[in-house]
Amino acid sequence: MVEETIKTIRETEKEAEELIKNAAAECTEILEGAAADARELKQKAETDAKAKADADMKAAVEMGESSARDALRDVEAEIASLKEAVKAKEDAAVASVISELV
């Protein structure tokens, strides 16, 4: 009877040790899986962030180029307007000089 109780206790201890061993192995697998998932999520986040940054940079460059074109168009219009004003004043000055000479 005592021997059978000792045997049962030893079997129970052995089963408990096996359960602990299996739980530790499963815990290790879960942690390794979580680490792998975290690496994948980090990589995806970095890739997404880089793609967004690239798109934002492209949009900013396009906006800058558009602003530069608009400014150039405005400057060219102002230059044309100034040339017309100068031409009109030049014509008036020439006419004035001619009238003074005559």
Side-chain angles (χ1 to χ4, degrees):
M1 171 97 156
V2 172
E3 289 177 12
E4 216 169 288
T5 302
I6 292 172
K7 182 179 177 186
T8 303
I9 290 171
R10 286 188 180 148
E11 287 175 1
T12 304
E13 286 175 344
K14 187 175 181 181
E15 288 174 7
E17 286 176 8
E18 191 66 30
L19 286 173
I20 291 170
K21 190 180 194 182
N22 290 340
E26 188 175 340
C27 179
T28 300
E29 285 179 30
I30 290 170
L31 290 174
E32 288 172 353
D37 290 347
R39 281 190 298 274
E40 287 177 22
L41 287 172
K42 180 182 174 191
Q43 182 65 35
K44 184 177 183 328
E46 288 174 354
T47 301
D48 291 348
K50 184 179 182 317
K52 184 179 181 331
D54 289 345
D56 290 349
M57 178 62 84
K58 183 178 179 183
V61 166
E62 288 174 3
M63 186 181 300
E65 290 174 349
S66 176
S67 293
R69 283 190 302 272
D70 290 346
L72 182 60
R73 186 176 49 250
D74 292 346
V75 167
E76 288 173 344
E78 183 67 22
I79 289 170
S81 174
L82 290 172
K83 282 182 178 180
E84 286 178 26
V86 166
K87 179 68 173 154
K89 287 183 180 183
E90 181 183 11
D91 291 343
V94 168
S96 176
V97 169
I98 291 175
S99 70
E100 290 291 324
L101 292 174
V102 177

